[in-house]
Amino acid sequence: MSTPTSDANPQPRRQRRSRASRLLHSPVFFPLVGFIAVFIVMALANDNFLLPNNLTNVARQGAIIAIIAVGMSFAIFTGGIDLSVGPVMALSGTIMAGLMAAGWPPTVAVIMGLLLGMVFGAFNGACVAFARMPPIIVTLATMGIARGLGLIYTGGYPISGLPAGFSFFGRGEVVGIQVPILIMLLVYLVAYVVLHHTSFGRYVYAIGGNEEATRLTGIRVPRYKLLVYTISGLTAAIAGLVITSRLMSGQPNAGTGFELDAIAAVVLGGAAIAGGRGAILGTLVGAMLLAILNNGLNLMGVSPYLQDVAKGTIILLAIYIGRGRNA
Amino acid sequence: MALLALEKVSKRFPGVRALNEVSLQVEAGEIHALLGENGAGKSTLMKILCGIHQPDSGEILIDGTPQHFSSYRRACAAGVGIVFQEFSLIPGLSVVDNIFLGREPRNRLGLIRHGVMLKQANALFERLDIDIDPQIHVHHLSVADQQFVEIAKALSLNARVLVLDEPTAPLTPTEVERLFTIMRQLREQGVAMVFISHHMEEIFEICDRVTVLRDGEYVTTLEVADTDAGALVELMVGRRVDNIFPDHHSHADSDDIVLEARIRMAGRKHTDYIQLARGEILGFAGLVGSGRTEMALAMIGAQPVTERQMQLEGHKVTLKSPADALKRGIGLLPENRKQQGLILPFTCADNITLNHLKHFQTRPPFISRRREREAVEALMDRVRVKAPGSDTVVGTLSGGNQQKVVIARWLERGCRVLIFDEPTRGIDVGAKSEIYALMKTLTAQGISIVMISSELPEITGLCDRVLVFNHGHVVAALSGDEIEAGTIMTHATRQISLDNPTGSTDESVATLERAS
């Protein structure tokens, strides 16, 4: 990113950027433009797209991927990746369901499920940070492990018979807004504050930007990497909470392919896959972009097979347009 | 007619006028020095010559014919070769594969003709009179040999114009001599060379003419024989710089030992002992690869060792990581600022505050951006970083300014010991002088400094004591009048018996003195 001064002689003064140029250079700018473009196309192509009901549905459907994509953002910002999010989501969800079905109080079951997600994430983190294994391999392996554990735990069948009150997280409403959307916004708010207003957030980007320099300057890199993957496990478990509550059953096979959607959301959000650059609000925009794509193509009656092709093409196009603009 | 001519080349980058109507003529068989401070536009000019950047206006002529280099490949095809400041070889490939990368000779089936490549590579090395096995993998080569491979690669396309961007920076004095021998041969063969270096004595040794740039403007072109170092420096910086070293007043308190370290590196036979007094500048001298950087990394716990006993102000400390060292007040300014020092996508501000964000946590764990910005701007003024703003991305700055950003990081960190590894590598005279002054100021505040440097004038001009490294061990400790270029080089280059690292010297190599 270059400095947007236009005068002939650069003054060695500390000048602040204008509001407009800050927006233009914000990592969220291009994702937002893409989002608005797709939004307009979908609105023109379908009469029903703009109905308030439909838009709320889009946001709610997108919430699951959006929540997972928060942890994925942390991992990608450090230059890593977490492929295990889908199965970890399913495993956490089925554990919550299983405990409740066994008569545990919902609060305790939810806490256990969230803890399990964190433990799984921490295990990923320990492998990456302390055993120095490559994240893509570690999480590819734990992806299989988590999926297998979920299937073993449930015997391959969904767990139902959950207490009615538990549906709050997936189907409830607070002041007219659906709870999944609220949870999503809350997760993003916390992530934003952590990434932009705490030292830990700064270290996340620093590790992705140059891990060796970060280490030599005296930052405890392994500790923060551990934390990053723990957060990814936690957000996957939160998504597990929402989806289990929405379906009112623990689905051991839920979340297949979600890791790819989450990665797509992060990258569509303007993050560099090599780390060091990206914005959490961009990820939110990216996740919502995917959601309106899914919804719009469905409304248009496009065949699901063709939808995959269309989605892939649009992702490629978006990355192509956005490439190198930060270099 | 000059073989190579750049006519009134101008180039702007957003916010910066990098070059303003700069001209340069190089004859066949001439070594032409390009001189200027960091940020004067040397690198930009060379990148334009090589097709990496395109000029906004102006022309490139080869043999009087205007050229349009839309890419690096085009420039290569037109006979321009470049040896970059940062090496562009691929370590995992063999020498010959590197030389022909991207244009391997192929047979009719599209398969690589290894024999032909090998023959051509051998012919190249013969022409340069260097002895490198073309089939060896590049990561086995010394820095100097890698440099020679770069030159061979640049010449392999029959380059008639060769750009050497600070080729001597990572080389030892002997290797510099080897490089100069090769350059003289190429001169005889009629190659036009542009040579960039911050070492005046090298320019006077090897170059025919010199062109000076300042702040993106052409200043003048002179015959090297008609000028002297003082005059060139004056042209470069626009003012007279008589002595780049601050006065030799020492702030060392030799009775107050801040740090004692007994370190035995992995795979070494002996334990080395290092003692550092308060306010002292201790030099680590020696050839590249003599173990100075490894020792520095070991001292901050960044490298595993066989034995490490450290006492800081009389207390035993255990350092398992650079973070432990930082906690105890020991900081490192690493050798390679791009790979080990800076977070390139970060702004100046974020780079500077990275290791002391705690200072700005008015309400932990939240950072006060306002306080951070104020502190950063004060620091940037103090080390005189030239940047449009504290939110300028650090990767866009010149080398000297980048180094100042890394230094600024340590100023408010409250360290007792700072290790500067090659703090002025690739930095112009003006910035060097500022960095030296800054180091003196730090020692006046009671901070102790270890300075690793391959530039002898820097060691002799600045250090209170010097440890000379050779083959991974400290082989001599010099102080006072012993700190003298010849003595240092004698210890640094003598053959040592590894069983007796402090044993008798072999004076035969004492002539290898690079400094003037």
Side-chain angles (χ1 to χ4, degrees):
Chain A
M1 206 186 313
S2 53
T3 322
T5 48
S6 54
D7 49 10
N9 289 311
Q11 299 293 315
R13 287 292 83 203
R14 324 267 173 260
Q15 46 190 242
R16 286 164 195 242
R17 289 169 169 168
S18 72
R19 217 164 265 278
S21 89
R22 289 236 299 263
L23 177 71
L24 194 65
H25 284 267
S26 148
V28 186
F29 180 71
F30 272 82
L32 212 52
V33 169
F35 175 80
I36 292 167
V38 173
F39 191 89
I40 291 171
V41 170
M42 291 305 169
L44 293 176
N46 306 290
D47 296 336
N48 297 330
F49 182 75
L50 282 178
L51 295 178
N53 236 343
N54 185 52
L55 291 181
T56 329
N57 270 338
V58 173
R60 197 200 61 234
Q61 286 160 1
I64 305 276
I65 294 294
I67 292 169
I68 293 177
V70 169
M72 188 67 81
S73 297
F74 275 83
I76 288 179
F77 293 170
T78 59
I81 201 150
D82 186 352
L83 297 179
S84 69
V85 286
V88 168
M89 177 193 88
L91 178 64
S92 300
T94 50
I95 296 285
M96 291 178 201
L99 293 178
M100 280 183 279
W104 291 47
T107 330
V108 180
V110 167
I111 290 172
M112 294 305 286
L114 296 180
L115 276 177
L116 181 79
M118 290 171 73
V119 168
F120 225 93
F123 177 74
N124 281 336
C127 290
V128 170
F130 296 105
R132 302 204 191 147
M133 295 193 266
I136 191 163
I137 305 300
V138 167
T139 57
L140 188 65
T142 56
M143 177 182 173
I145 294 173
R147 181 68 74 201
L149 287 177
L151 288 167
I152 292 169
Y153 178 69
T154 59
Y157 298 104
I159 299 174
S160 49
L162 308 182
F166 180 66
S167 70
F168 171 76
F169 300 104
R171 300 180 184 180
E173 273 190 17
V174 175
V175 291
I177 305 173
Q178 304 204 8
V179 172
I181 299 175
L182 281 179
I183 293 178
M184 172 185 82
L185 293 176
L186 189 67
V187 171
Y188 273 88
L189 180 70
V190 172
Y192 179 85
V193 171
V194 167
L195 282 171
H196 291 274
H197 295 283
T198 71
S199 341
F200 168 60
R202 195 72 61 81
Y203 300 154
V204 166
Y205 287 108
I207 292 168
N210 189 341
E211 183 171 336
E212 176 71 352
T214 308
R215 183 180 78 100
L216 286 178
T217 201
I219 311 299
R220 296 188 191 277
V221 170
R223 181 183 292 182
Y224 295 111
K225 277 186 159 178
L226 180 73
L227 197 50
V228 159
Y229 287 90
T230 308
I231 288 171
S232 185
L234 174 64
T235 57
I238 294 172
L241 164 67
V242 173
I243 202 167
T244 307
S245 166
R246 178 86 201 152
L247 301 172
M248 279 306 270
S249 76
Q251 301 275 356
N253 278 314
T256 309
F258 278 21
E259 62 283 339
L260 297 181
D261 279 355
I263 294 167
V266 177
V267 175
L268 281 174
I273 196 75
R277 277 199 294 254
I280 194 68
L281 294 183
T283 301
L284 180 57
V285 174
M288 287 302 121
L289 177 59
L290 284 178
I292 57 170
L293 264 178
N294 278 331
N295 177 266
L297 294 172
N298 269 333
L299 288 181
M300 281 193 262
V302 176
S303 109
Y305 307 139
L306 196 57
Q307 282 191 25
D308 284 343
V309 175
K311 253 168 63 181
T313 311
I314 287 169
I315 290 172
L316 278 180
L317 204 68
I319 313 278
Y320 176 77
I321 294 167
R323 107 212 101 104
R325 75 200 143 77
N326 279 333
Chain B
M1 183 173 44
L3 173 56
L4 168 73
L6 294 162
E7 298 287 352
K8 299 201 169 178
V9 172
S10 297
K11 178 74 184 174
R12 294 179 61 105
F13 292 112
V16 187
R17 188 178 54 192
L19 290 173
N20 185 33
E21 304 206 335
V22 172
S23 298
L24 175 73
Q25 279 93 32
V26 190
E27 308 285 340
E30 179 192 356
I31 302 178
H32 196 113
L34 191 57
L35 200 60
E37 291 191 274
N38 289 114
K42 302 175 307 252
S43 292
T44 309
L45 190 64
M46 290 305 102
K47 281 179 180 163
I48 285 173
L49 173 58
C50 299
I52 294 167
H53 292 322
Q54 277 67 48
D56 297 334
S57 64
E59 263 190 321
I60 303 172
L61 302 138
I62 289 182
D63 281 331
T65 319
Q67 307 283 333
H68 294 284
F69 296 152
S70 53
S71 70
Y72 177 50
R73 260 186 119 81
R74 285 279 181 81
C76 289
V80 177
I82 183 166
V83 176
F84 288 104
Q85 213 170 340
E86 275 111 32
F87 290 172
S88 55
L89 299 178
I90 297 168
L93 291 182
S94 72
V95 168
V96 59
D97 286 343
N98 264 290
I99 291 176
F100 293 98
L101 192 66
R103 46 192 176 78
E104 298 82 358
R106 292 164 200 267
N107 63 16
R108 264 180 300 174
L109 293 174
L111 302 176
I112 293 172
R113 301 170 70 189
H114 286 285
V116 174
M117 271 169 40
L118 209 54
K119 229 169 104 183
Q120 289 183 14
N122 277 321
L124 270 172
F125 288 150
E126 212 162 288
R127 175 178 166 199
L128 295 171
D129 195 20
I130 48 182
D131 184 26
I132 297 173
D133 175 2
Q135 284 176 302
I136 202 167
H137 279 197
V138 162
H139 63 256
H140 293 304
L141 296 179
S142 70
V143 176
D145 281 342
Q146 289 188 29
Q147 186 105 62
F148 299 149
V149 173
E150 287 272 3
I151 293 174
K153 184 179 172 184
L155 290 173
S156 64
L157 268 170
N158 297 320
R160 296 196 297 148
V161 177
L162 182 64
V163 177
L164 297 142
D165 191 359
E166 291 194 46
T168 58
L171 302 187
T172 65
T174 345
E175 292 166 342
V176 170
E177 275 315 312
R178 280 178 65 199
L179 174 68
F180 285 175
T181 311
I182 291 169
M183 286 172 67
R184 287 191 188 100
Q185 265 163 347
L186 292 174
R187 171 158 60 190
E188 276 168 34
Q189 292 165 14
V191 176
M193 279 171 276
V194 179
F195 178 76
I196 300 177
S197 171
H198 286 296
H199 295 282
M200 287 294 172
E201 68 277 9
E202 292 174 358
I203 288 168
F204 285 96
E205 183 176 347
I206 190 84
C207 296
D208 303 301
R209 286 195 300 165
V210 52
T211 290
V212 182
L213 301 185
R214 184 169 70 224
D215 298 332
E217 307 268 353
Y218 172 84
V219 178
T220 184
T221 300
L222 299 167
E223 295 283 334
V224 167
D226 297 342
T227 183
D228 63 61
L232 286 181
V233 170
E234 198 175 340
L235 287 169
M236 256 166 72
V237 300
R239 61 178 191 276
R240 186 93 202 166
V241 179
D242 289 320
N243 189 0
I244 63 168
F245 296 105
D247 66 89
H248 209 94
H249 176 68
S250 171
H251 300 286
D253 179 0
S254 52
D255 295 332
D256 187 357
I257 301 303
V258 175
L259 179 76
E260 280 182 281
R262 283 180 183 78
I263 291 174
R264 191 170 143 205
M265 310 281 217
R268 304 271 189 228
K269 276 189 171 174
H270 303 278
T271 300
D272 287 305
Y273 175 65
I274 287 160
Q275 202 183 45
L276 189 62
R278 184 175 307 281
E280 176 178 49
I281 300 183
L282 173 67
F284 280 9
L287 305 180
V288 173
S290 60
R292 300 167 301 171
T293 296
E294 289 78 355
M295 180 60 79
L297 290 174
M299 285 169 73
I300 64 159
Q303 179 146 325
V305 291
T306 312
E307 183 196 350
R308 176 166 46 213
Q309 290 177 35
M310 296 191 59
Q311 286 215 323
L312 197 62
E313 292 176 338
H315 301 287
K316 196 168 182 293
V317 291
T318 321
L319 307 179
K320 291 202 199 86
S321 71
D324 290 337
L326 184 68
K327 209 168 142 190
R328 306 286 181 185
I330 307 175
L332 171 76
L333 195 86
E335 181 180 19
N336 188 323
R337 64 182 162 261
K338 280 191 179 162
Q339 282 168 23
Q340 303 171 312
L342 293 167
I343 319 292
L344 287 174
F346 269 30
T347 62
C348 295
D350 289 352
N351 264 295
I352 290 173
T353 57
L354 186 63
N355 64 5
H356 54 282
L357 283 169
K358 275 208 177 79
H359 293 198
F360 315 109
Q361 290 177 340
T362 32
R363 278 166 299 160
F366 304 111
I367 302 166
S368 160
R369 292 263 179 176
R370 191 178 52 82
R371 283 190 50 180
E372 191 187 356
R373 174 179 280 271
E374 286 165 6
V376 161
E377 294 188 349
L379 277 173
M380 283 175 70
D381 283 336
R382 197 164 137 202
V383 297
R384 295 199 234 165
V385 178
K386 276 186 217 153
S390 60
D391 57 359
T392 303
V393 174
V394 81
T396 62
L397 300 182
S398 71
N401 283 310
Q402 289 184 349
Q403 187 73 334
K404 288 177 184 172
V405 167
V406 188
I407 292 176
R409 182 187 288 167
W410 294 104
L411 295 184
E412 286 300 319
R413 187 55 187 75
C415 282
R416 286 174 280 200
V417 175
L418 287 176
I419 304 172
F420 286 57
D421 195 350
E422 302 284 3
T424 63
R425 173 173 292 174
I427 285 181
D428 63 70
V429 183
K432 267 186 189 175
S433 181
E434 286 173 21
I435 287 172
Y436 299 147
L438 203 62
M439 288 168 70
K440 275 287 179 197
T441 318
L442 290 172
T443 57
Q445 294 164 3
I447 293 170
S448 311
I449 293 179
V450 172
M451 181 178 70
I452 301 176
S453 176
S454 297
E455 296 190 30
L456 287 177
E458 204 164 275
I459 293 273
T460 54
L462 221 56
C463 295
D464 300 305
R465 284 191 310 126
V466 174
L467 298 180
V468 185
F469 282 70
N470 190 340
H471 282 85
H473 287 291
V474 177
V475 292
L478 311 174
S479 57
D481 293 341
E482 296 168 327
I483 303 177
E484 181 267 321
T487 318
I488 293 171
M489 283 318 292
T490 310
H491 289 294
T493 56
R494 73 180 197 230
Q495 295 291 317
I496 55 164
S497 138
L498 287 178
D499 295 328
N500 181 21
T502 45
S504 61
T505 60
D506 175 354
E507 303 284 341
S508 64
V509 273
T511 47
L512 296 168
E513 184 192 327
R514 176 173 172 190
S516 50

